[in-house]
């Protein structure tokens, strides 16, 4: 038979946490053992004081299962950066010099089809979208250069010579003169603005 | 029952784990928040600590497969976090008191005398709990919250038969520290 009970067992006895059989044994032992009785009374007084101390911690109100959402500051860290990138993209698209013109695809007008016989339901006509290409650039036709022929001053063929630009009528009318190796003028022509040679 | 009836597809297993977690959350969250509120004195902080403990449990799926009781794990993690918060607050209050802030707060509260005494007693108890060893403070808190010796043993990872001894030791240490700091004034 067990003589005395340990402090832990006596503490469990005070909380009724011992098995029922041990509870009876401890109760019977406390009636006969002054040492265990004194120890158990000491434990009980301390437990009461602890209970009083712990009751100073107030009980909360009703606690539900839904936890409060943790308060977090809104994350505005990337909002400014994203707004700046978006604004830059919009401005870049608007100011892009080689931006292609927007091609609008519109379906052609559907030609009216004669009503089909009621027995055969008419299938919807397959409409092929028309591709509208941008109008070709209208380039004004270049004026065809007018050929200014030389007028020969004699009947001999000209094999070599030097073309000299001179001004007739006080320098106002330009003309080209072919000068032969002997220094004689062999042919000449007037240079007009339509020939393009004055540019 | 045939062995194939016991086998669950991954989808079924995940669904059962989710349902089990929801049930465990519903059963334990209110008790845990109540206990942490008593410990910290701050309902909002208690809810945050409890929610964080459950979130940690959800992330640690390996706990579901072990023999450890997940609810006990949550209680242990949450009470540890609550004690940490209590110690951090005690340090902050010491620094505030040094700066003279504590006196301003005391004069601002200005309620009934009984409220002041109760508040002061709660502050003292929390200070002693924060000064105890974590397991002793957890033990006192769990017992004060009405947990049985078996639940306490699961939470703290000790033998159920040793809870009485640990509890008596923790109570003696609490009283010794309380009397050493505040005298015989209960």
């Amino acid at each position: 038979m067990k003589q005395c009970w340990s402090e832990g067992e006596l503490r469990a006895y005070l909380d009724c946490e011992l098995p029922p059989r041990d509870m009876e044994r401890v109760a019977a032992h406390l009636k006969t053992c002054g040492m265990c009785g004194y120890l158990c009374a000491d434990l009980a007084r301390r437990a009461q004081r602890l209970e009083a101390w712990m009751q100073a911690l107030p009980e909360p109100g009703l606690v539900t299962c839904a936890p409060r959402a943790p308060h977090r500051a809104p994350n505005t860290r990337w909002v400014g950066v994203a707004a700046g990138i978006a604004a830059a993209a919009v401005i870049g698209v608007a100011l892009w010099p080689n931006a292609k013109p927007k091609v609008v695809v519109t379906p052609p007008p559907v030609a009216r089809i004669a009503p089909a016989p009621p027995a055969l339901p008419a299938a919807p006509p397959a409409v092929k979208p028309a591709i509208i290409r941008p109008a070709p650039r209208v380039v004004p036709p270049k004026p065809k250069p007018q050929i200014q022929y030389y007028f020969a001053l004699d009947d001999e063929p000209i094999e070599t010579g030097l073309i000299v630009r001179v001004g007739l009528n006080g320098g106002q009318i330009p003309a080209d003169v072919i000068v032969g190796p002997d220094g004689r003028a062999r042919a000449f022509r007037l240079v007009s603005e339509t020939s393009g040679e004055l540019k | 029952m045939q062995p194939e009836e016991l086998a669950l597809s991954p989808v079924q297993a995940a669904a059962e784990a989710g349902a089990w977690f929801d049930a465990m959350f519903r059963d334990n969250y209110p008790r845990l928040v109540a206990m942490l509120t008593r410990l910290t004195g701050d309902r909002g902080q208690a809810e945050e600590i409890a929610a964080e403990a459950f979130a940690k449990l959800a992330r640690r799926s390996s706990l579901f497969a072990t023999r450890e009781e997940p609810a006990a794990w949550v209680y242990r993690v949450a009470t540890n976090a609550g004690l940490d918060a209590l110690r951090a607050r005690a340090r902050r209050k010491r620094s505030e008191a040094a700066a003279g802030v504590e006196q301003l707060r005391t004069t601002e509260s200005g309620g009934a005398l009984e409220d002041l005494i109760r508040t002061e007693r709660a502050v003292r108890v929390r200070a002693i709990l924060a000064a105890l060893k974590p397991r002793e403070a957890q033990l006192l808190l769990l017992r004060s919250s009405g947990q049985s010796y078996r639940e306490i043993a699961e939470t703290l990872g000790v033998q159920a038969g040793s809870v009485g001894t640990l509890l008596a030791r923790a109570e003696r240490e609490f009283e010794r520290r309380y009397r050493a700091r505040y005298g015989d004034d209960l």
Side-chain angles (χ1 to χ4, degrees), chain B residues 111-122:
Chain B
L113 178 62
E114 187 65 27
D115 289 341
L116 284 176
I117 293 173
R118 194 179 302 119
T119 303
E120 177 62 22
R121 189 175 296 166

Side-chain angles (χ1 to χ4, degrees), chain A residues 7-8 11-12 15 17 43 46-47 49-50 53-68, chain B residues 25-26 29-30 33-34 37-38 43 47 121-122 125 143-144 148-149 164-165 167 171-172 174-175 178-179 186:
Chain A
E7 184 185 58
R11 185 64 186 85
D15 283 336
E17 289 279 353
L43 287 172
R46 185 178 296 132
R49 286 194 294 272
L50 256 295
W53 274 319
M54 296 302 284
Q55 280 180 354
L57 303 178
E59 291 279 352
L62 180 65
V63 179
T64 60
C65 278
R68 295 176 187 172
Chain B
F25 180 84
R26 280 195 301 272
Y29 179 79
V33 169
T37 303
R38 294 185 66 204
R43 170 74 175 268
E47 289 187 354
R121 189 175 296 166
V125 171
R143 183 59 194 159
S144 171
S148 66
Y149 280 25
T165 304
L167 182 60
E171 286 173 341
R172 188 184 303 118
F174 183 97
E175 186 172 26
Y178 193 97
R179 291 186 186 281
L186 300 182

